[in-house]
Amino acid sequence: MGFLSVLSCAHQWISSRLQPGDLAIDATVGTGADTLFLAQKVGKRGQVIGFDIQSEALTLAQARIRKQEEDSAKMGSISLLQLSHDRMAEAVPESWQSAVGAVMFNLGYLPSEGADASIITQTNSTLAALEAALGLLKPRGIITVVLYPGHEGGSQEAEAVLEWASALPVEQAQVVMYRQLQREASPFLIGIEKK
Ligand SMILES: C[S@@+](CC[C@H](N)C(=O)[O-])C[C@H]1O[C@@H](n2cnc3c(N)ncnc32)[C@H](O)[C@@H]1O
């Protein structure tokens, strides 16, 4: 059968933790696949907030969400914000502090035809967003981060995130990695579970 892709593995880690009625954040909406996944997982009593800096991404995501309209009664509410994820702590309602079940990051550029591949996530804002996400998580909440060391600009960001995550005190969070060891440039996944 082979191992799961990093994206499927991220979904699996989240599926086994997110509960109906939970709050969740998609830190990099892109085409909205993860946003939709989170809204399905939290169910009709749950809520999802998504961040992306590109209006093109939010338009694509809205179209994807509209296509699932027949399932919308079973899904959580979705709010999409055109805002950098490093501002998530101030952008979410105050009641979300220490109450979020999952935050997903899928770094890099918008994976869509004609998209501007020079608009990529940046190391400084990614690290600030990860810190903010950790603050918003509830105990046993999870952050997943998919990193792309093979992309232009991606390896420096991947190294910085690895360094940041490895230095988190074990009393604060448990950090794991899912990575193919023979291919240095292939995407990999980090999971951070808050204590
Ligand atoms: C790899 S894509 C995300 C893919 C998405 N999860 C999906 O299912 O299609 C990365 C996204 O991050 C967005 N992005 C870049 N910098 C950002 C920032 N500072 N804050 C939020 N989103 C950002 C890009 O515009 C791009 O759409």
Side-chain angles (χ1 to χ4, degrees), residues 15-190:
S15 291
S16 59
R17 288 171 177 81
L18 260 194
Q19 301 293 321
D22 268 350
L23 307 172
I25 294 176
D26 186 351
T28 50
V29 169
T31 63
D34 291 335
T35 314
L36 203 54
F37 161 77
L38 290 169
Q40 285 160 344
K41 284 290 150 199
V42 299
K44 61 182 180 206
R45 290 181 299 109
Q47 295 173 58
V48 179
I49 299 181
F51 294 87
D52 205 294
I53 51 171
Q54 288 192 72
S55 60
E56 290 80 354
L58 299 182
T59 304
L60 287 168
Q62 268 149 358
R64 187 194 284 271
I65 292 160
R66 263 199 305 276
K67 274 199 199 149
Q68 297 294 315
E69 221 156 37
E70 68 277 14
D71 289 336
S72 63
K74 292 184 237 153
M75 291 189 329
S77 70
I78 298 174
S79 309
L80 298 180
L81 304 179
Q82 189 175 352
L83 196 66
S84 177
H85 42 214
D86 59 349
R87 296 179 59 197
M88 72 171 76
E90 64 192 82
V92 301
E94 231 178 279
S95 57
W96 284 44
Q97 295 296 328
S98 304
V100 172
V103 185
M104 295 188 79
F105 289 80
N106 185 355
L107 302 177
Y109 56 80
L110 180 61
S112 129
E113 208 182 306
D116 183 348
S118 70
I119 304 177
I120 55 169
T121 50
Q122 302 288 330
T123 304
N124 287 346
S125 45
T126 297
L127 293 177
L130 284 166
E131 281 287 353
L134 198 53
L136 290 172
L137 279 191
K138 64 180 180 181
R140 306 268 173 260
I142 183 170
I143 298 173
T144 59
V145 195
V146 175
L147 297 125
Y148 297 85
H151 289 182
E152 184 79 23
S155 68
Q156 185 214 20
E157 182 182 45
E159 266 171 44
V161 171
L162 267 181
E163 195 179 325
W164 173 82
S166 310
L168 286 175
V170 287
E171 306 75 38
Q172 189 182 7
Q174 185 181 28
V175 182
V176 297
M177 181 162 66
Y178 181 66
R179 183 172 198 170
Q180 182 173 0
L181 296 179
Q182 306 106 312
R183 291 208 172 100
E184 241 178 70
S186 60
F188 65 97
L189 169 68
I190 290 179

